[in-house]
Amino acid sequence: MLENSDGVLYTKKQVPSKLILIVSIVVGFVLVVAFLGIIVNLLFNYNDTKNVFQLKGTTDQLFSLVPHVMSIIIITIFLLVFMVIINTKIKKADPLKKPEGLVLAVILFVSTIDKFAVDMFGEKMKSLAPYIGYLAVYLFSANIFGLLGFTPPPTSNLSVTLSFGISTFLIIRYYGIKFNGWGHLTSLFKPFLLSPINIIGEIAFPFTLSLRLFGNILSGTLIMTLVYTGIAGGFNFILTTIFGSNLGIGELFAPFVGVPFLHIYFDLFSGFIQTFVFILLSSVFISSAAN
Amino acid sequence: MAELGKKIGDLVQGGLFPNLITFFTQILATLILFYFLKKLVWKPVQEMLAKRSEVIVAELESAKAAKFEAEAMKAEYENDLKNAKAEANKMMENARIQALESKTLIIQEAEKEAAYKVEKATKEINLERDKAAKALKAHVVDIAFIAAEKLVHENLDDKKNRQLIDKFIEEVGE
């Protein structure tokens, strides 16, 4: 306990809270990296010829470690920390006062998604609102992850988008059977001649959903790679003709030549639109299966 | 060019070919994030909103009740005021009527008393006059007696009698 001139007591808890926060962030980061390193070392072998980590005892590409996994882990940890911060802020906030800042943003987001879910599915499926909120938060973070520039965005991986497609597909079937019983399955054979088309349409849904997202984000990433390489190559060519030797600094110019606008289009705009389309299509299919 | 081809090849190969590790990592991430989003964000926010709306409804209800009460009180006061005015009017009217009554009564009494006093005075005057008359009579008799005595005792001539009587009367007159 410390005492100042006014005789006010400070507990140890109040003084170095920022220091504790910074130390815990650094320690947590180091621990997470160490933990991931240990897991990778225990489970994977490094394949020198292919330059990839391969799950022990396998040779197939199905079990190799791709950089998108790193993106998934980074986003997951970031979102978890963010959720904990939001949780503490909401717990601290006085419900009778006007909400401010982050709390206001979170309340607006939650109530918007809730309203959307109620409009789409009705009151009986209001519990699906967090799933829609999760899709919105995760897909948007994943789509704009390319802006950070370390690893490719997770949604440029078909396995990731397919997992979303399959989870949405399972939710559709679950609610369809829950609210319509066997009628949900027998309706596929209603005009019996059309039953193959119905079945293919139903099964194709998760693939169309995931391929749409995957294709859009991957194409954005590819185009950005091409643009960066092209600009760097062009500058290298110009510098070589001027100075007579390749300085190899063409990459430094790329961020200043119209690339920010392309990033706004391919990462922010396209990411937002694809998130929105994904959510909208999922909601439409879920509500049409349930009602 | 070879570098670019390798980069794009890595991106496409890493993204397009099915990979169970990525798939299950994503499924795990989905489950974890969905659970914590529901627990850490959705529930507290909904509880907070519910509390807010509860408080707002309670406030509205109490405001409505207070307004109702105030209106009732106002009506009561207005009623009281009206009653008080009517009562005051009535009281004034009563007082006026009473004042009129007492006025007539007082006048009547005063008249009565005046009449009584006049009567009494008249009676007294009469009595006094009678008394005076009686006294005068007695005096006259006495005088007559005294005069007769004198006349008898002196036995005088007519001239002297006359003088005596005059003298006597003069004495009496004094």
Side-chain angles (χ1 to χ4, degrees):
Chain A
M1 298 273 259
L2 300 167
E3 197 170 344
N4 71 357
S5 55
D6 300 331
V8 181
L9 292 172
Y10 292 111
T11 56
K12 257 188 182 172
K13 208 175 156 192
Q14 283 170 321
V15 181
S17 58
K18 278 202 172 159
L19 197 71
I20 287 174
L21 189 72
I22 291 165
V23 168
S24 57
I25 286 172
V26 171
V27 169
F29 183 73
V30 170
L31 280 178
V32 165
V33 171
F35 180 69
L36 290 177
I38 290 166
I39 286 182
V40 168
N41 257 315
L42 282 176
L43 294 177
F44 294 91
N45 283 325
Y46 190 66
N47 187 332
D48 287 324
T49 51
K50 282 195 209 158
N51 262 356
V52 287
F53 285 96
Q54 189 73 36
L55 193 69
K56 279 181 181 170
T58 59
T59 50
D60 199 76
Q61 206 180 21
L62 209 58
F63 299 102
S64 62
L65 193 64
V66 291
H68 305 88
V69 176
M70 198 60 213
S71 315
I72 295 169
I73 291 168
I74 290 171
I75 292 175
T76 307
I77 289 170
F78 171 76
L79 287 180
L80 277 179
V81 170
F82 197 54
M83 281 173 198
V84 171
I85 291 171
I86 288 171
N87 186 260
T88 47
K89 285 232 171 182
I90 288 175
K91 285 265 165 73
K92 251 190 245 168
D94 184 359
L96 306 185
K97 277 185 190 155
K98 212 170 150 190
E100 278 175 347
L102 185 64
V103 178
L104 179 65
V106 172
I107 286 176
L108 274 180
F109 175 74
V110 169
S111 45
T112 310
I113 298 282
D114 269 350
K115 196 171 172 288
F116 175 79
V118 171
D119 286 349
M120 262 335 225
F121 315 135
E123 281 290 335
K124 57 184 178 175
M125 278 156 79
K126 212 187 162 192
S127 57
L128 259 184
Y131 180 70
I132 302 294
Y134 162 69
L135 284 183
V137 170
Y138 187 87
L139 288 179
F140 188 63
S141 332
N143 291 348
I144 65 168
F145 190 74
L147 285 176
L148 295 180
F150 354 104
T151 42
T155 38
S156 70
N157 188 316
L158 184 57
S159 309
V160 171
T161 54
L162 195 63
S163 87
F164 283 112
I166 286 174
S167 57
T168 303
F169 180 77
L170 290 179
I171 286 172
I172 292 169
R173 298 286 82 91
Y174 171 75
Y175 279 105
I177 291 171
K178 187 180 174 189
F179 289 117
N180 299 327
W182 289 111
H184 178 64
L185 295 180
T186 51
S187 68
L188 288 175
F189 304 99
K190 267 292 149 63
F192 189 73
L193 280 178
L194 289 180
S195 56
I197 292 172
N198 284 339
I199 290 167
I200 288 169
E202 287 298 324
I203 289 173
F205 170 71
F207 293 99
T208 60
L209 203 59
S210 46
L211 279 167
R212 181 182 299 111
L213 181 59
F214 161 72
N216 273 288
I217 303 303
L218 181 71
S219 62
T221 315
L222 287 182
I223 288 170
M224 287 321 293
T225 313
L226 286 174
V227 166
Y228 270 104
T229 317
I231 288 172
F235 270 99
N236 273 338
F237 175 73
I238 292 165
L239 290 173
T240 313
T241 33
I242 292 170
F243 296 110
S245 66
N246 190 355
L247 299 170
I249 54 168
E251 279 87 353
L252 296 180
F253 291 92
F256 304 105
V257 191
V259 173
F261 298 102
L262 291 177
H263 268 304
I264 287 172
Y265 179 75
F266 285 115
D267 288 320
L268 285 176
F269 180 70
S270 184
F272 177 74
I273 291 292
Q274 288 312 315
T275 308
F276 190 68
V277 166
F278 194 97
I279 291 171
L280 207 63
L281 283 175
S282 307
S283 316
V284 166
F285 273 79
I286 292 171
S287 76
S288 73
N291 298 317
Chain B
M1 263 304 158
E3 207 186 313
L4 177 66
K6 197 185 166 302
K7 248 186 207 170
I8 288 176
D10 279 353
L11 274 176
V12 173
Q13 209 175 24
L16 187 56
F17 286 105
N19 188 307
L20 280 183
I21 288 172
T22 320
F23 183 80
F24 284 113
T25 315
Q26 184 55 53
I27 294 280
L28 194 68
T30 300
L31 291 177
I32 291 171
L33 282 175
F34 177 62
Y35 175 73
F36 280 107
L37 185 74
K38 201 168 180 174
K39 201 188 161 200
L40 293 182
V41 177
W42 233 261
K43 265 192 188 159
V45 167
Q46 276 174 344
E47 271 166 21
M48 192 177 173
L49 290 177
K51 212 185 268 177
R52 270 175 82 89
S53 62
E54 217 170 79
V55 168
I56 288 166
V57 166
E59 289 279 315
L60 279 178
E61 289 281 311
S62 76
K64 212 189 264 178
K67 198 184 162 197
F68 193 71
E69 208 173 305
E71 267 172 7
M73 261 174 144
K74 196 186 161 201
E76 203 178 307
Y77 285 143
E78 270 175 1
N79 202 14
D80 280 3
L81 200 67
K82 220 186 270 172
N83 281 354
K85 256 184 197 165
E87 211 166 316
N89 277 343
K90 208 169 144 193
M91 274 165 84
M92 268 169 80
E93 190 67 22
N94 277 354
R96 215 163 59 85
I97 290 167
Q98 221 166 358
L100 266 178
E101 271 174 9
S102 47
K103 184 186 158 194
T104 15
L105 209 71
I106 287 165
I107 289 169
Q108 272 176 4
E109 234 158 59
E111 273 174 357
K112 223 190 250 173
E113 206 176 313
Y116 172 73
K117 275 190 177 161
V118 166
E119 203 182 341
K120 203 178 160 191
T122 320
K123 260 184 195 166
E124 258 172 26
I125 289 165
N126 285 342
L127 209 71
E128 288 293 319
R129 205 178 53 194
D130 286 359
K131 239 189 217 170
K134 260 182 197 165
L136 194 62
K137 235 184 219 170
H139 274 292
V140 169
V141 173
D142 281 352
I143 289 164
F145 269 109
I146 292 166
E149 234 174 43
K150 288 241 164 144
L151 279 176
V152 172
H153 281 284
E154 291 283 318
N155 200 16
L156 299 168
D157 55 2
D158 199 42
K159 199 182 171 184
K160 215 180 175 182
N161 282 356
R162 181 72 38 206
Q163 272 178 344
L164 269 173
I165 290 167
D166 281 347
K167 200 182 168 193
F168 173 71
I169 290 169
E170 254 172 47
E171 273 172 24
V172 171
E174 279 171 9

PDB file of all heavy atoms in Angstrom, chain B residues 31-54:
ATOM      1  N   LEU B  31     -15.861 -23.212 -34.051  1.00  0.00           N
ATOM      2  CA  LEU B  31     -16.543 -23.625 -32.822  1.00  0.00           C
ATOM      3  C   LEU B  31     -16.130 -22.732 -31.658  1.00  0.00           C
ATOM      4  O   LEU B  31     -16.982 -22.225 -30.916  1.00  0.00           O
ATOM      5  CB  LEU B  31     -16.212 -25.090 -32.506  1.00  0.00           C
ATOM      6  CG  LEU B  31     -16.807 -26.114 -33.466  1.00  0.00           C
ATOM      7  CD1 LEU B  31     -16.345 -27.513 -33.088  1.00  0.00           C
ATOM      8  CD2 LEU B  31     -18.329 -26.043 -33.436  1.00  0.00           C
ATOM      9  N   ILE B  32     -14.805 -22.509 -31.526  1.00  0.00           N
ATOM     10  CA  ILE B  32     -14.316 -21.690 -30.402  1.00  0.00           C
ATOM     11  C   ILE B  32     -14.882 -20.282 -30.494  1.00  0.00           C
ATOM     12  O   ILE B  32     -15.449 -19.746 -29.528  1.00  0.00           O
ATOM     13  CB  ILE B  32     -12.774 -21.648 -30.417  1.00  0.00           C
ATOM     14  CG1 ILE B  32     -12.193 -23.012 -30.055  1.00  0.00           C
ATOM     15  CG2 ILE B  32     -12.263 -20.603 -29.436  1.00  0.00           C
ATOM     16  CD1 ILE B  32     -10.701 -23.093 -30.265  1.00  0.00           C
ATOM     17  N   LEU B  33     -14.746 -19.673 -31.685  1.00  0.00           N
ATOM     18  CA  LEU B  33     -15.163 -18.277 -31.820  1.00  0.00           C
ATOM     19  C   LEU B  33     -16.669 -18.129 -31.656  1.00  0.00           C
ATOM     20  O   LEU B  33     -17.143 -17.177 -31.040  1.00  0.00           O
ATOM     21  CB  LEU B  33     -14.721 -17.722 -33.173  1.00  0.00           C
ATOM     22  CG  LEU B  33     -13.247 -17.353 -33.257  1.00  0.00           C
ATOM     23  CD1 LEU B  33     -12.893 -16.925 -34.645  1.00  0.00           C
ATOM     24  CD2 LEU B  33     -12.932 -16.227 -32.288  1.00  0.00           C
ATOM     25  N   PHE B  34     -17.412 -19.097 -32.212  1.00  0.00           N
ATOM     26  CA  PHE B  34     -18.875 -19.022 -32.084  1.00  0.00           C
ATOM     27  C   PHE B  34     -19.278 -19.101 -30.615  1.00  0.00           C
ATOM     28  O   PHE B  34     -20.075 -18.292 -30.134  1.00  0.00           O
ATOM     29  CB  PHE B  34     -19.523 -20.150 -32.877  1.00  0.00           C
ATOM     30  CG  PHE B  34     -21.013 -20.201 -32.747  1.00  0.00           C
ATOM     31  CD1 PHE B  34     -21.787 -19.146 -33.175  1.00  0.00           C
ATOM     32  CD2 PHE B  34     -21.635 -21.306 -32.184  1.00  0.00           C
ATOM     33  CE1 PHE B  34     -23.163 -19.185 -33.051  1.00  0.00           C
ATOM     34  CE2 PHE B  34     -23.001 -21.342 -32.054  1.00  0.00           C
ATOM     35  CZ  PHE B  34     -23.768 -20.290 -32.487  1.00  0.00           C
ATOM     36  N   TYR B  35     -18.662 -20.038 -29.886  1.00  0.00           N
ATOM     37  CA  TYR B  35     -18.990 -20.200 -28.465  1.00  0.00           C
ATOM     38  C   TYR B  35     -18.670 -18.925 -27.693  1.00  0.00           C
ATOM     39  O   TYR B  35     -19.499 -18.415 -26.935  1.00  0.00           O
ATOM     40  CB  TYR B  35     -18.199 -21.390 -27.902  1.00  0.00           C
ATOM     41  CG  TYR B  35     -18.381 -21.565 -26.421  1.00  0.00           C
ATOM     42  CD1 TYR B  35     -19.580 -22.064 -25.926  1.00  0.00           C
ATOM     43  CD2 TYR B  35     -17.384 -21.217 -25.532  1.00  0.00           C
ATOM     44  CE1 TYR B  35     -19.763 -22.212 -24.569  1.00  0.00           C
ATOM     45  CE2 TYR B  35     -17.558 -21.358 -24.181  1.00  0.00           C
ATOM     46  CZ  TYR B  35     -18.755 -21.856 -23.704  1.00  0.00           C
ATOM     47  OH  TYR B  35     -18.933 -22.007 -22.357  1.00  0.00           O
ATOM     48  N   PHE B  36     -17.447 -18.395 -27.927  1.00  0.00           N
ATOM     49  CA  PHE B  36     -17.067 -17.227 -27.133  1.00  0.00           C
ATOM     50  C   PHE B  36     -17.811 -15.975 -27.565  1.00  0.00           C
ATOM     51  O   PHE B  36     -18.104 -15.113 -26.746  1.00  0.00           O
ATOM     52  CB  PHE B  36     -15.552 -17.018 -27.173  1.00  0.00           C
ATOM     53  CG  PHE B  36     -14.834 -17.931 -26.237  1.00  0.00           C
ATOM     54  CD1 PHE B  36     -14.105 -18.999 -26.705  1.00  0.00           C
ATOM     55  CD2 PHE B  36     -14.939 -17.736 -24.871  1.00  0.00           C
ATOM     56  CE1 PHE B  36     -13.471 -19.859 -25.828  1.00  0.00           C
ATOM     57  CE2 PHE B  36     -14.306 -18.587 -23.985  1.00  0.00           C
ATOM     58  CZ  PHE B  36     -13.572 -19.656 -24.459  1.00  0.00           C
ATOM     59  N   LEU B  37     -18.123 -15.886 -28.871  1.00  0.00           N
ATOM     60  CA  LEU B  37     -18.909 -14.726 -29.310  1.00  0.00           C
ATOM     61  C   LEU B  37     -20.262 -14.733 -28.618  1.00  0.00           C
ATOM     62  O   LEU B  37     -20.747 -13.705 -28.145  1.00  0.00           O
ATOM     63  CB  LEU B  37     -19.097 -14.756 -30.832  1.00  0.00           C
ATOM     64  CG  LEU B  37     -19.784 -13.538 -31.416  1.00  0.00           C
ATOM     65  CD1 LEU B  37     -18.831 -12.362 -31.408  1.00  0.00           C
ATOM     66  CD2 LEU B  37     -20.258 -13.785 -32.820  1.00  0.00           C
ATOM     67  N   LYS B  38     -20.858 -15.924 -28.541  1.00  0.00           N
ATOM     68  CA  LYS B  38     -22.162 -16.025 -27.898  1.00  0.00           C
ATOM     69  C   LYS B  38     -22.063 -15.706 -26.417  1.00  0.00           C
ATOM     70  O   LYS B  38     -22.897 -14.997 -25.856  1.00  0.00           O
ATOM     71  CB  LYS B  38     -22.696 -17.449 -28.086  1.00  0.00           C
ATOM     72  CG  LYS B  38     -24.192 -17.538 -27.921  1.00  0.00           C
ATOM     73  CD  LYS B  38     -24.699 -18.873 -28.384  1.00  0.00           C
ATOM     74  CE  LYS B  38     -26.185 -18.928 -28.204  1.00  0.00           C
ATOM     75  NZ  LYS B  38     -26.766 -20.132 -28.756  1.00  0.00           N
ATOM     76  N   LYS B  39     -21.005 -16.228 -25.789  1.00  0.00           N
ATOM     77  CA  LYS B  39     -20.892 -16.105 -24.332  1.00  0.00           C
ATOM     78  C   LYS B  39     -20.380 -14.735 -23.908  1.00  0.00           C
ATOM     79  O   LYS B  39     -20.883 -14.151 -22.944  1.00  0.00           O
ATOM     80  CB  LYS B  39     -19.940 -17.186 -23.817  1.00  0.00           C
ATOM     81  CG  LYS B  39     -20.149 -17.465 -22.354  1.00  0.00           C
ATOM     82  CD  LYS B  39     -19.091 -18.388 -21.820  1.00  0.00           C
ATOM     83  CE  LYS B  39     -19.033 -18.276 -20.324  1.00  0.00           C
ATOM     84  NZ  LYS B  39     -17.758 -18.756 -19.804  1.00  0.00           N
ATOM     85  N   LEU B  40     -19.374 -14.225 -24.608  1.00  0.00           N
ATOM     86  CA  LEU B  40     -18.713 -13.007 -24.141  1.00  0.00           C
ATOM     87  C   LEU B  40     -19.350 -11.738 -24.689  1.00  0.00           C
ATOM     88  O   LEU B  40     -19.244 -10.695 -24.071  1.00  0.00           O
ATOM     89  CB  LEU B  40     -17.233 -13.015 -24.526  1.00  0.00           C
ATOM     90  CG  LEU B  40     -16.360 -14.055 -23.859  1.00  0.00           C
ATOM     91  CD1 LEU B  40     -14.923 -13.899 -24.312  1.00  0.00           C
ATOM     92  CD2 LEU B  40     -16.416 -13.915 -22.354  1.00  0.00           C
ATOM     93  N   VAL B  41     -19.951 -11.828 -25.874  1.00  0.00           N
ATOM     94  CA  VAL B  41     -20.481 -10.598 -26.470  1.00  0.00           C
ATOM     95  C   VAL B  41     -22.003 -10.599 -26.517  1.00  0.00           C
ATOM     96  O   VAL B  41     -22.649  -9.672 -26.044  1.00  0.00           O
ATOM     97  CB  VAL B  41     -19.897 -10.390 -27.890  1.00  0.00           C
ATOM     98  CG1 VAL B  41     -20.489  -9.166 -28.522  1.00  0.00           C
ATOM     99  CG2 VAL B  41     -18.399 -10.277 -27.830  1.00  0.00           C
ATOM    100  N   TRP B  42     -22.575 -11.681 -27.072  1.00  0.00           N
ATOM    101  CA  TRP B  42     -24.020 -11.640 -27.330  1.00  0.00           C
ATOM    102  C   TRP B  42     -24.837 -11.560 -26.045  1.00  0.00           C
ATOM    103  O   TRP B  42     -25.700 -10.717 -25.901  1.00  0.00           O
ATOM    104  CB  TRP B  42     -24.427 -12.862 -28.164  1.00  0.00           C
ATOM    105  CG  TRP B  42     -25.175 -12.444 -29.366  1.00  0.00           C
ATOM    106  CD1 TRP B  42     -26.518 -12.447 -29.530  1.00  0.00           C
ATOM    107  CD2 TRP B  42     -24.621 -11.916 -30.569  1.00  0.00           C
ATOM    108  NE1 TRP B  42     -26.825 -11.964 -30.763  1.00  0.00           N
ATOM    109  CE2 TRP B  42     -25.694 -11.630 -31.423  1.00  0.00           C
ATOM    110  CE3 TRP B  42     -23.330 -11.645 -31.008  1.00  0.00           C
ATOM    111  CZ2 TRP B  42     -25.516 -11.096 -32.692  1.00  0.00           C
ATOM    112  CZ3 TRP B  42     -23.155 -11.120 -32.262  1.00  0.00           C
ATOM    113  CH2 TRP B  42     -24.237 -10.849 -33.085  1.00  0.00           C
ATOM    114  N   LYS B  43     -24.512 -12.465 -25.108  1.00  0.00           N
ATOM    115  CA  LYS B  43     -25.319 -12.515 -23.883  1.00  0.00           C
ATOM    116  C   LYS B  43     -25.224 -11.237 -23.070  1.00  0.00           C
ATOM    117  O   LYS B  43     -26.256 -10.689 -22.679  1.00  0.00           O
ATOM    118  CB  LYS B  43     -24.922 -13.727 -23.046  1.00  0.00           C
ATOM    119  CG  LYS B  43     -25.830 -14.904 -23.333  1.00  0.00           C
ATOM    120  CD  LYS B  43     -25.638 -15.998 -22.330  1.00  0.00           C
ATOM    121  CE  LYS B  43     -26.419 -17.219 -22.761  1.00  0.00           C
ATOM    122  NZ  LYS B  43     -25.894 -18.422 -22.132  1.00  0.00           N
ATOM    123  N   PRO B  44     -23.993 -10.741 -22.781  1.00  0.00           N
ATOM    124  CA  PRO B  44     -23.925  -9.496 -21.998  1.00  0.00           C
ATOM    125  C   PRO B  44     -24.657  -8.345 -22.669  1.00  0.00           C
ATOM    126  O   PRO B  44     -25.362  -7.589 -21.993  1.00  0.00           O
ATOM    127  CB  PRO B  44     -22.426  -9.204 -21.907  1.00  0.00           C
ATOM    128  CG  PRO B  44     -21.762 -10.478 -22.140  1.00  0.00           C
ATOM    129  CD  PRO B  44     -22.650 -11.286 -23.008  1.00  0.00           C
ATOM    130  N   VAL B  45     -24.511  -8.247 -24.004  1.00  0.00           N
ATOM    131  CA  VAL B  45     -25.169  -7.132 -24.691  1.00  0.00           C
ATOM    132  C   VAL B  45     -26.679  -7.274 -24.576  1.00  0.00           C
ATOM    133  O   VAL B  45     -27.392  -6.305 -24.289  1.00  0.00           O
ATOM    134  CB  VAL B  45     -24.730  -7.079 -26.167  1.00  0.00           C
ATOM    135  CG1 VAL B  45     -25.631  -6.147 -26.956  1.00  0.00           C
ATOM    136  CG2 VAL B  45     -23.303  -6.613 -26.268  1.00  0.00           C
ATOM    137  N   GLN B  46     -27.160  -8.515 -24.752  1.00  0.00           N
ATOM    138  CA  GLN B  46     -28.610  -8.686 -24.678  1.00  0.00           C
ATOM    139  C   GLN B  46     -29.127  -8.444 -23.267  1.00  0.00           C
ATOM    140  O   GLN B  46     -30.180  -7.833 -23.085  1.00  0.00           O
ATOM    141  CB  GLN B  46     -29.001 -10.069 -25.179  1.00  0.00           C
ATOM    142  CG  GLN B  46     -29.109 -10.052 -26.694  1.00  0.00           C
ATOM    143  CD  GLN B  46     -29.345 -11.395 -27.283  1.00  0.00           C
ATOM    144  OE1 GLN B  46     -29.139 -12.402 -26.621  1.00  0.00           O
ATOM    145  NE2 GLN B  46     -29.787 -11.435 -28.514  1.00  0.00           N
ATOM    146  N   GLU B  47     -28.327  -8.891 -22.269  1.00  0.00           N
ATOM    147  CA  GLU B  47     -28.723  -8.616 -20.883  1.00  0.00           C
ATOM    148  C   GLU B  47     -28.774  -7.119 -20.634  1.00  0.00           C
ATOM    149  O   GLU B  47     -29.707  -6.605 -20.011  1.00  0.00           O
ATOM    150  CB  GLU B  47     -27.717  -9.250 -19.920  1.00  0.00           C
ATOM    151  CG  GLU B  47     -28.079 -10.671 -19.550  1.00  0.00           C
ATOM    152  CD  GLU B  47     -26.922 -11.385 -18.890  1.00  0.00           C
ATOM    153  OE1 GLU B  47     -26.023 -10.713 -18.372  1.00  0.00           O
ATOM    154  OE2 GLU B  47     -26.925 -12.631 -18.911  1.00  0.00           O
ATOM    155  N   MET B  48     -27.742  -6.430 -21.154  1.00  0.00           N
ATOM    156  CA  MET B  48     -27.674  -4.977 -20.953  1.00  0.00           C
ATOM    157  C   MET B  48     -28.880  -4.297 -21.607  1.00  0.00           C
ATOM    158  O   MET B  48     -29.531  -3.443 -20.997  1.00  0.00           O
ATOM    159  CB  MET B  48     -26.382  -4.477 -21.580  1.00  0.00           C
ATOM    160  CG  MET B  48     -26.035  -3.079 -21.205  1.00  0.00           C
ATOM    161  SD  MET B  48     -24.463  -2.684 -21.954  1.00  0.00           S
ATOM    162  CE  MET B  48     -24.370  -0.966 -21.562  1.00  0.00           C
ATOM    163  N   LEU B  49     -29.181  -4.728 -22.838  1.00  0.00           N
ATOM    164  CA  LEU B  49     -30.312  -4.109 -23.544  1.00  0.00           C
ATOM    165  C   LEU B  49     -31.616  -4.401 -22.801  1.00  0.00           C
ATOM    166  O   LEU B  49     -32.472  -3.526 -22.661  1.00  0.00           O
ATOM    167  CB  LEU B  49     -30.394  -4.631 -24.977  1.00  0.00           C
ATOM    168  CG  LEU B  49     -29.282  -4.154 -25.897  1.00  0.00           C
ATOM    169  CD1 LEU B  49     -29.425  -4.780 -27.271  1.00  0.00           C
ATOM    170  CD2 LEU B  49     -29.292  -2.649 -26.025  1.00  0.00           C
ATOM    171  N   ALA B  50     -31.731  -5.645 -22.306  1.00  0.00           N
ATOM    172  CA  ALA B  50     -32.951  -6.010 -21.575  1.00  0.00           C
ATOM    173  C   ALA B  50     -33.090  -5.157 -20.331  1.00  0.00           C
ATOM    174  O   ALA B  50     -34.171  -4.655 -20.012  1.00  0.00           O
ATOM    175  CB  ALA B  50     -32.906  -7.491 -21.206  1.00  0.00           C
ATOM    176  N   LYS B  51     -31.931  -4.978 -19.625  1.00  0.00           N
ATOM    177  CA  LYS B  51     -31.975  -4.173 -18.401  1.00  0.00           C
ATOM    178  C   LYS B  51     -32.377  -2.740 -18.735  1.00  0.00           C
ATOM    179  O   LYS B  51     -33.203  -2.133 -18.048  1.00  0.00           O
ATOM    180  CB  LYS B  51     -30.599  -4.197 -17.750  1.00  0.00           C
ATOM    181  CG  LYS B  51     -30.666  -4.106 -16.238  1.00  0.00           C
ATOM    182  CD  LYS B  51     -29.290  -4.021 -15.643  1.00  0.00           C
ATOM    183  CE  LYS B  51     -28.711  -5.355 -15.269  1.00  0.00           C
ATOM    184  NZ  LYS B  51     -27.341  -5.234 -14.759  1.00  0.00           N
ATOM    185  N   ARG B  52     -31.775  -2.247 -19.813  1.00  0.00           N
ATOM    186  CA  ARG B  52     -32.081  -0.872 -20.230  1.00  0.00           C
ATOM    187  C   ARG B  52     -33.566  -0.711 -20.513  1.00  0.00           C
ATOM    188  O   ARG B  52     -34.218   0.217 -20.032  1.00  0.00           O
ATOM    189  CB  ARG B  52     -31.305  -0.523 -21.498  1.00  0.00           C
ATOM    190  CG  ARG B  52     -29.969   0.070 -21.265  1.00  0.00           C
ATOM    191  CD  ARG B  52     -29.281   0.233 -22.587  1.00  0.00           C
ATOM    192  NE  ARG B  52     -29.720   1.443 -23.241  1.00  0.00           N
ATOM    193  CZ  ARG B  52     -29.147   2.623 -23.067  1.00  0.00           C
ATOM    194  NH1 ARG B  52     -28.129   2.729 -22.263  1.00  0.00           N
ATOM    195  NH2 ARG B  52     -29.581   3.688 -23.687  1.00  0.00           N
ATOM    196  N   SER B  53     -34.092  -1.663 -21.297  1.00  0.00           N
ATOM    197  CA  SER B  53     -35.499  -1.500 -21.682  1.00  0.00           C
ATOM    198  C   SER B  53     -36.400  -1.664 -20.458  1.00  0.00           C
ATOM    199  O   SER B  53     -37.408  -0.975 -20.330  1.00  0.00           O
ATOM    200  CB  SER B  53     -35.869  -2.485 -22.788  1.00  0.00           C
ATOM    201  OG  SER B  53     -35.711  -3.780 -22.314  1.00  0.00           O
ATOM    202  N   GLU B  54     -35.967  -2.559 -19.539  1.00  0.00           N
ATOM    203  CA  GLU B  54     -36.736  -2.748 -18.297  1.00  0.00           C
ATOM    204  C   GLU B  54     -36.804  -1.428 -17.522  1.00  0.00           C
ATOM    205  O   GLU B  54     -37.867  -0.990 -17.085  1.00  0.00           O
ATOM    206  CB  GLU B  54     -36.010  -3.776 -17.447  1.00  0.00           C
ATOM    207  CG  GLU B  54     -36.901  -4.714 -16.679  1.00  0.00           C
ATOM    208  CD  GLU B  54     -36.067  -5.821 -16.083  1.00  0.00           C
ATOM    209  OE1 GLU B  54     -35.428  -5.563 -15.046  1.00  0.00           O
ATOM    210  OE2 GLU B  54     -36.041  -6.924 -16.663  1.00  0.00           O
TER     211      GLU B  54
END
